[in-house]
Amino acid sequence: MALLGYEGEKTSAEMRNINEDEVIENFGELIRRSEKARTNQNLRSVISKLEENIKDNEKYIIKMFLVNNKTGSMINSDNSPNISFRVDTINNIFDSIVDSITDAGLTEEQVGTIFFNAGKKCGEAFGMTFNTYLETYIDVQDSEEKIKEWCMFDSSVGWGKLGYDANEHAIVITNNFQAKKIDISGTYPHDCNFFKGYISGVLAKISGRKTPARVECKSCDKCPKHSNERDCVIKFVF
């Protein structure tokens, strides 16, 4: 069995025509072979080719992370360390924090502010790094294009499917991870302000503005937690 990028190259057209079972089978065989080799170069090469050539697949893309079994580190393609959580794990963490600070006497508004500020700080840190990447490595300078690139990037890491509605000045999130039930309790997490803060922080950095974007959830009356709607709509202004 020929392996993708390992025993004879396939053309881009051929790769697009292979089905998902073939991709998984070839990928699994390559991993088994790479475990016996002295280098991971073949595996790295195939992963990058798969990520490039199946990006038009409407169902899946492959996101590359390398795990060092000796150190327990998981490294992203940009060599930054990463960590992976189940959705219900991260929502349990957020939910337990909400319970603790509410029990300490903080109001619902104060809890929301804490989560918003936490998300904003995360968004600003990521947005600064991502903005440098966009301008330096793929020569994207336009703010509108930067927002689209960001939505595409974060749609591949489990946040949900992010889209940019330029006419409404809104970020639309389908399958928002904070709108999913917590497995252990079957309830929804208490607070979504973390994601709103994150959006505000990212937008400030990739738009070149000196202040965070003011954001507002426009789908509260049709929240995915309480209706059959699937989208969270976050409008923003500077």
PDB file of all heavy atoms in Angstrom, residues 105-132:
ATOM      1  N   GLY A 105     -19.776  35.885  47.602  1.00  0.00           N
ATOM      2  CA  GLY A 105     -20.578  37.088  47.743  1.00  0.00           C
ATOM      3  C   GLY A 105     -20.599  38.015  46.554  1.00  0.00           C
ATOM      4  O   GLY A 105     -21.213  39.086  46.610  1.00  0.00           O
ATOM      5  N   LEU A 106     -19.944  37.643  45.454  1.00  0.00           N
ATOM      6  CA  LEU A 106     -19.945  38.503  44.280  1.00  0.00           C
ATOM      7  C   LEU A 106     -21.273  38.391  43.533  1.00  0.00           C
ATOM      8  O   LEU A 106     -21.908  37.334  43.518  1.00  0.00           O
ATOM      9  CB  LEU A 106     -18.792  38.140  43.334  1.00  0.00           C
ATOM     10  CG  LEU A 106     -17.443  38.799  43.645  1.00  0.00           C
ATOM     11  CD1 LEU A 106     -16.851  38.222  44.924  1.00  0.00           C
ATOM     12  CD2 LEU A 106     -16.483  38.642  42.489  1.00  0.00           C
ATOM     13  N   THR A 107     -21.667  39.495  42.914  1.00  0.00           N
ATOM     14  CA  THR A 107     -22.916  39.515  42.157  1.00  0.00           C
ATOM     15  C   THR A 107     -22.715  38.882  40.783  1.00  0.00           C
ATOM     16  O   THR A 107     -21.572  38.673  40.327  1.00  0.00           O
ATOM     17  CB  THR A 107     -23.411  40.951  41.961  1.00  0.00           C
ATOM     18  OG1 THR A 107     -22.462  41.659  41.136  1.00  0.00           O
ATOM     19  CG2 THR A 107     -23.553  41.664  43.299  1.00  0.00           C
ATOM     20  N   GLU A 108     -23.816  38.615  40.105  1.00  0.00           N
ATOM     21  CA  GLU A 108     -23.749  38.053  38.758  1.00  0.00           C
ATOM     22  C   GLU A 108     -23.012  38.989  37.816  1.00  0.00           C
ATOM     23  O   GLU A 108     -22.229  38.541  36.956  1.00  0.00           O
ATOM     24  CB  GLU A 108     -25.168  37.795  38.244  1.00  0.00           C
ATOM     25  CG  GLU A 108     -25.215  37.143  36.862  1.00  0.00           C
ATOM     26  CD  GLU A 108     -26.637  36.833  36.430  1.00  0.00           C
ATOM     27  OE1 GLU A 108     -27.526  36.720  37.306  1.00  0.00           O
ATOM     28  OE2 GLU A 108     -26.860  36.706  35.201  1.00  0.00           O
ATOM     29  N   GLU A 109     -23.220  40.290  37.976  1.00  0.00           N
ATOM     30  CA  GLU A 109     -22.530  41.272  37.133  1.00  0.00           C
ATOM     31  C   GLU A 109     -21.021  41.247  37.383  1.00  0.00           C
ATOM     32  O   GLU A 109     -20.221  41.320  36.445  1.00  0.00           O
ATOM     33  CB  GLU A 109     -23.074  42.673  37.403  1.00  0.00           C
ATOM     34  CG  GLU A 109     -22.450  43.740  36.510  1.00  0.00           C
ATOM     35  CD  GLU A 109     -23.054  45.117  36.765  1.00  0.00           C
ATOM     36  OE1 GLU A 109     -24.022  45.211  37.553  1.00  0.00           O
ATOM     37  OE2 GLU A 109     -22.562  46.093  36.164  1.00  0.00           O
ATOM     38  N   GLN A 110     -20.629  41.132  38.640  1.00  0.00           N
ATOM     39  CA  GLN A 110     -19.205  41.068  38.972  1.00  0.00           C
ATOM     40  C   GLN A 110     -18.559  39.794  38.434  1.00  0.00           C
ATOM     41  O   GLN A 110     -17.423  39.817  37.951  1.00  0.00           O
ATOM     42  CB  GLN A 110     -19.017  41.159  40.486  1.00  0.00           C
ATOM     43  CG  GLN A 110     -19.329  42.542  41.059  1.00  0.00           C
ATOM     44  CD  GLN A 110     -19.323  42.543  42.581  1.00  0.00           C
ATOM     45  OE1 GLN A 110     -19.837  41.605  43.220  1.00  0.00           O
ATOM     46  NE2 GLN A 110     -18.748  43.591  43.167  1.00  0.00           N
ATOM     47  N   VAL A 111     -19.287  38.690  38.507  1.00  0.00           N
ATOM     48  CA  VAL A 111     -18.790  37.432  37.951  1.00  0.00           C
ATOM     49  C   VAL A 111     -18.563  37.582  36.445  1.00  0.00           C
ATOM     50  O   VAL A 111     -17.529  37.168  35.907  1.00  0.00           O
ATOM     51  CB  VAL A 111     -19.785  36.278  38.223  1.00  0.00           C
ATOM     52  CG1 VAL A 111     -19.369  35.028  37.447  1.00  0.00           C
ATOM     53  CG2 VAL A 111     -19.846  35.981  39.707  1.00  0.00           C
ATOM     54  N   GLY A 112     -19.536  38.200  35.768  1.00  0.00           N
ATOM     55  CA  GLY A 112     -19.407  38.415  34.332  1.00  0.00           C
ATOM     56  C   GLY A 112     -18.193  39.264  33.987  1.00  0.00           C
ATOM     57  O   GLY A 112     -17.493  39.000  33.007  1.00  0.00           O
ATOM     58  N   THR A 113     -17.928  40.282  34.794  1.00  0.00           N
ATOM     59  CA  THR A 113     -16.772  41.154  34.559  1.00  0.00           C
ATOM     60  C   THR A 113     -15.465  40.394  34.703  1.00  0.00           C
ATOM     61  O   THR A 113     -14.531  40.570  33.919  1.00  0.00           O
ATOM     62  CB  THR A 113     -16.790  42.334  35.540  1.00  0.00           C
ATOM     63  OG1 THR A 113     -17.981  43.108  35.330  1.00  0.00           O
ATOM     64  CG2 THR A 113     -15.575  43.236  35.338  1.00  0.00           C
ATOM     65  N   ILE A 114     -15.391  39.523  35.705  1.00  0.00           N
ATOM     66  CA  ILE A 114     -14.186  38.714  35.925  1.00  0.00           C
ATOM     67  C   ILE A 114     -13.913  37.834  34.712  1.00  0.00           C
ATOM     68  O   ILE A 114     -12.789  37.764  34.208  1.00  0.00           O
ATOM     69  CB  ILE A 114     -14.327  37.856  37.196  1.00  0.00           C
ATOM     70  CG1 ILE A 114     -14.270  38.749  38.437  1.00  0.00           C
ATOM     71  CG2 ILE A 114     -13.248  36.780  37.256  1.00  0.00           C
ATOM     72  CD1 ILE A 114     -14.599  38.025  39.729  1.00  0.00           C
ATOM     73  N   PHE A 115     -14.947  37.159  34.215  1.00  0.00           N
ATOM     74  CA  PHE A 115     -14.766  36.274  33.072  1.00  0.00           C
ATOM     75  C   PHE A 115     -14.474  37.055  31.803  1.00  0.00           C
ATOM     76  O   PHE A 115     -13.652  36.629  30.973  1.00  0.00           O
ATOM     77  CB  PHE A 115     -15.996  35.381  32.886  1.00  0.00           C
ATOM     78  CG  PHE A 115     -15.928  34.118  33.685  1.00  0.00           C
ATOM     79  CD1 PHE A 115     -16.258  34.121  35.027  1.00  0.00           C
ATOM     80  CD2 PHE A 115     -15.503  32.938  33.106  1.00  0.00           C
ATOM     81  CE1 PHE A 115     -16.177  32.966  35.782  1.00  0.00           C
ATOM     82  CE2 PHE A 115     -15.415  31.778  33.842  1.00  0.00           C
ATOM     83  CZ  PHE A 115     -15.756  31.784  35.186  1.00  0.00           C
ATOM     84  N   PHE A 116     -15.116  38.205  31.638  1.00  0.00           N
ATOM     85  CA  PHE A 116     -14.853  39.034  30.458  1.00  0.00           C
ATOM     86  C   PHE A 116     -13.398  39.489  30.447  1.00  0.00           C
ATOM     87  O   PHE A 116     -12.719  39.412  29.414  1.00  0.00           O
ATOM     88  CB  PHE A 116     -15.782  40.254  30.446  1.00  0.00           C
ATOM     89  CG  PHE A 116     -15.606  41.128  29.239  1.00  0.00           C
ATOM     90  CD1 PHE A 116     -16.325  40.887  28.072  1.00  0.00           C
ATOM     91  CD2 PHE A 116     -14.711  42.194  29.258  1.00  0.00           C
ATOM     92  CE1 PHE A 116     -16.157  41.684  26.952  1.00  0.00           C
ATOM     93  CE2 PHE A 116     -14.532  43.000  28.143  1.00  0.00           C
ATOM     94  CZ  PHE A 116     -15.254  42.745  26.989  1.00  0.00           C
ATOM     95  N   ASN A 117     -12.904  39.967  31.581  1.00  0.00           N
ATOM     96  CA  ASN A 117     -11.526  40.448  31.653  1.00  0.00           C
ATOM     97  C   ASN A 117     -10.513  39.325  31.429  1.00  0.00           C
ATOM     98  O   ASN A 117      -9.468  39.528  30.803  1.00  0.00           O
ATOM     99  CB  ASN A 117     -11.266  41.120  33.000  1.00  0.00           C
ATOM    100  CG  ASN A 117     -11.966  42.464  33.112  1.00  0.00           C
ATOM    101  OD1 ASN A 117     -12.301  43.093  32.104  1.00  0.00           O
ATOM    102  ND2 ASN A 117     -12.206  42.914  34.331  1.00  0.00           N
ATOM    103  N   ALA A 118     -10.835  38.127  31.937  1.00  0.00           N
ATOM    104  CA  ALA A 118      -9.952  36.976  31.709  1.00  0.00           C
ATOM    105  C   ALA A 118      -9.884  36.643  30.221  1.00  0.00           C
ATOM    106  O   ALA A 118      -8.805  36.407  29.658  1.00  0.00           O
ATOM    107  CB  ALA A 118     -10.453  35.762  32.499  1.00  0.00           C
ATOM    108  N   GLY A 119     -11.052  36.633  29.553  1.00  0.00           N
ATOM    109  CA  GLY A 119     -11.077  36.363  28.124  1.00  0.00           C
ATOM    110  C   GLY A 119     -10.367  37.438  27.329  1.00  0.00           C
ATOM    111  O   GLY A 119      -9.651  37.142  26.365  1.00  0.00           O
ATOM    112  N   LYS A 120     -10.546  38.701  27.741  1.00  0.00           N
ATOM    113  CA  LYS A 120      -9.914  39.817  27.029  1.00  0.00           C
ATOM    114  C   LYS A 120      -8.391  39.720  27.094  1.00  0.00           C
ATOM    115  O   LYS A 120      -7.695  39.939  26.106  1.00  0.00           O
ATOM    116  CB  LYS A 120     -10.390  41.149  27.612  1.00  0.00           C
ATOM    117  CG  LYS A 120      -9.800  42.374  26.906  1.00  0.00           C
ATOM    118  CD  LYS A 120     -10.555  43.626  27.302  1.00  0.00           C
ATOM    119  CE  LYS A 120     -10.316  44.000  28.763  1.00  0.00           C
ATOM    120  NZ  LYS A 120      -8.932  44.485  28.990  1.00  0.00           N
ATOM    121  N   LYS A 121      -7.871  39.366  28.272  1.00  0.00           N
ATOM    122  CA  LYS A 121      -6.419  39.234  28.409  1.00  0.00           C
ATOM    123  C   LYS A 121      -5.886  38.123  27.515  1.00  0.00           C
ATOM    124  O   LYS A 121      -4.854  38.272  26.855  1.00  0.00           O
ATOM    125  CB  LYS A 121      -6.064  38.954  29.876  1.00  0.00           C
ATOM    126  CG  LYS A 121      -4.567  38.920  30.135  1.00  0.00           C
ATOM    127  CD  LYS A 121      -4.264  38.800  31.625  1.00  0.00           C
ATOM    128  CE  LYS A 121      -2.757  38.831  31.878  1.00  0.00           C
ATOM    129  NZ  LYS A 121      -2.453  38.758  33.337  1.00  0.00           N
ATOM    130  N   CYS A 122      -6.595  36.989  27.478  1.00  0.00           N
ATOM    131  CA  CYS A 122      -6.201  35.889  26.596  1.00  0.00           C
ATOM    132  C   CYS A 122      -6.265  36.316  25.137  1.00  0.00           C
ATOM    133  O   CYS A 122      -5.367  36.000  24.339  1.00  0.00           O
ATOM    134  CB  CYS A 122      -7.108  34.684  26.814  1.00  0.00           C
ATOM    135  SG  CYS A 122      -6.963  33.896  28.430  1.00  0.00           S
ATOM    136  N   GLY A 123      -7.333  37.021  24.778  1.00  0.00           N
ATOM    137  CA  GLY A 123      -7.513  37.461  23.400  1.00  0.00           C
ATOM    138  C   GLY A 123      -6.447  38.446  22.962  1.00  0.00           C
ATOM    139  O   GLY A 123      -5.949  38.386  21.831  1.00  0.00           O
ATOM    140  N   GLU A 124      -6.081  39.366  23.857  1.00  0.00           N
ATOM    141  CA  GLU A 124      -5.045  40.345  23.519  1.00  0.00           C
ATOM    142  C   GLU A 124      -3.694  39.669  23.301  1.00  0.00           C
ATOM    143  O   GLU A 124      -2.959  40.008  22.365  1.00  0.00           O
ATOM    144  CB  GLU A 124      -4.949  41.385  24.635  1.00  0.00           C
ATOM    145  CG  GLU A 124      -6.129  42.342  24.677  1.00  0.00           C
ATOM    146  CD  GLU A 124      -6.102  43.247  25.889  1.00  0.00           C
ATOM    147  OE1 GLU A 124      -5.355  42.936  26.846  1.00  0.00           O
ATOM    148  OE2 GLU A 124      -6.830  44.247  25.897  1.00  0.00           O
ATOM    149  N   ALA A 125      -3.370  38.708  24.165  1.00  0.00           N
ATOM    150  CA  ALA A 125      -2.088  38.006  24.035  1.00  0.00           C
ATOM    151  C   ALA A 125      -2.029  37.215  22.733  1.00  0.00           C
ATOM    152  O   ALA A 125      -1.033  37.262  21.996  1.00  0.00           O
ATOM    153  CB  ALA A 125      -1.876  37.085  25.230  1.00  0.00           C
ATOM    154  N   PHE A 126      -3.116  36.484  22.434  1.00  0.00           N
ATOM    155  CA  PHE A 126      -3.147  35.727  21.190  1.00  0.00           C
ATOM    156  C   PHE A 126      -3.177  36.662  19.984  1.00  0.00           C
ATOM    157  O   PHE A 126      -2.474  36.440  18.988  1.00  0.00           O
ATOM    158  CB  PHE A 126      -4.361  34.805  21.143  1.00  0.00           C
ATOM    159  CG  PHE A 126      -4.580  34.186  19.788  1.00  0.00           C
ATOM    160  CD1 PHE A 126      -3.797  33.137  19.359  1.00  0.00           C
ATOM    161  CD2 PHE A 126      -5.560  34.685  18.933  1.00  0.00           C
ATOM    162  CE1 PHE A 126      -3.981  32.586  18.088  1.00  0.00           C
ATOM    163  CE2 PHE A 126      -5.748  34.152  17.683  1.00  0.00           C
ATOM    164  CZ  PHE A 126      -4.959  33.088  17.257  1.00  0.00           C
ATOM    165  N   GLY A 127      -4.014  37.706  20.059  1.00  0.00           N
ATOM    166  CA  GLY A 127      -4.174  38.630  18.939  1.00  0.00           C
ATOM    167  C   GLY A 127      -2.871  39.306  18.561  1.00  0.00           C
ATOM    168  O   GLY A 127      -2.582  39.505  17.365  1.00  0.00           O
ATOM    169  N   MET A 128      -2.044  39.638  19.541  1.00  0.00           N
ATOM    170  CA  MET A 128      -0.767  40.274  19.258  1.00  0.00           C
ATOM    171  C   MET A 128       0.152  39.329  18.485  1.00  0.00           C
ATOM    172  O   MET A 128       0.781  39.709  17.494  1.00  0.00           O
ATOM    173  CB  MET A 128      -0.096  40.704  20.564  1.00  0.00           C
ATOM    174  CG  MET A 128       1.165  41.522  20.386  1.00  0.00           C
ATOM    175  SD  MET A 128       1.867  42.042  21.985  1.00  0.00           S
ATOM    176  CE  MET A 128       0.489  43.004  22.645  1.00  0.00           C
ATOM    177  N   THR A 129       0.217  38.075  18.941  1.00  0.00           N
ATOM    178  CA  THR A 129       1.043  37.074  18.262  1.00  0.00           C
ATOM    179  C   THR A 129       0.518  36.780  16.862  1.00  0.00           C
ATOM    180  O   THR A 129       1.278  36.699  15.892  1.00  0.00           O
ATOM    181  CB  THR A 129       1.089  35.772  19.081  1.00  0.00           C
ATOM    182  OG1 THR A 129       1.625  36.050  20.372  1.00  0.00           O
ATOM    183  CG2 THR A 129       1.936  34.717  18.396  1.00  0.00           C
ATOM    184  N   PHE A 130      -0.802  36.628  16.760  1.00  0.00           N
ATOM    185  CA  PHE A 130      -1.404  36.276  15.465  1.00  0.00           C
ATOM    186  C   PHE A 130      -1.255  37.425  14.476  1.00  0.00           C
ATOM    187  O   PHE A 130      -1.035  37.199  13.286  1.00  0.00           O
ATOM    188  CB  PHE A 130      -2.874  35.929  15.664  1.00  0.00           C
ATOM    189  CG  PHE A 130      -3.513  35.255  14.485  1.00  0.00           C
ATOM    190  CD1 PHE A 130      -3.059  34.030  14.040  1.00  0.00           C
ATOM    191  CD2 PHE A 130      -4.576  35.844  13.817  1.00  0.00           C
ATOM    192  CE1 PHE A 130      -3.636  33.396  12.946  1.00  0.00           C
ATOM    193  CE2 PHE A 130      -5.174  35.231  12.737  1.00  0.00           C
ATOM    194  CZ  PHE A 130      -4.706  33.998  12.297  1.00  0.00           C
ATOM    195  N   ASN A 131      -1.350  38.653  14.958  1.00  0.00           N
ATOM    196  CA  ASN A 131      -1.194  39.813  14.086  1.00  0.00           C
ATOM    197  C   ASN A 131       0.211  39.861  13.489  1.00  0.00           C
ATOM    198  O   ASN A 131       0.385  40.142  12.296  1.00  0.00           O
ATOM    199  CB  ASN A 131      -1.469  41.097  14.865  1.00  0.00           C
ATOM    200  CG  ASN A 131      -1.572  42.307  13.965  1.00  0.00           C
ATOM    201  OD1 ASN A 131      -2.448  42.397  13.114  1.00  0.00           O
ATOM    202  ND2 ASN A 131      -0.666  43.268  14.150  1.00  0.00           N
ATOM    203  N   THR A 132       1.215  39.565  14.313  1.00  0.00           N
ATOM    204  CA  THR A 132       2.593  39.521  13.817  1.00  0.00           C
ATOM    205  C   THR A 132       2.749  38.446  12.751  1.00  0.00           C
ATOM    206  O   THR A 132       3.385  38.651  11.715  1.00  0.00           O
ATOM    207  CB  THR A 132       3.565  39.251  14.972  1.00  0.00           C
ATOM    208  OG1 THR A 132       3.449  40.300  15.937  1.00  0.00           O
ATOM    209  CG2 THR A 132       5.000  39.170  14.475  1.00  0.00           C
TER     210      THR A 132
END
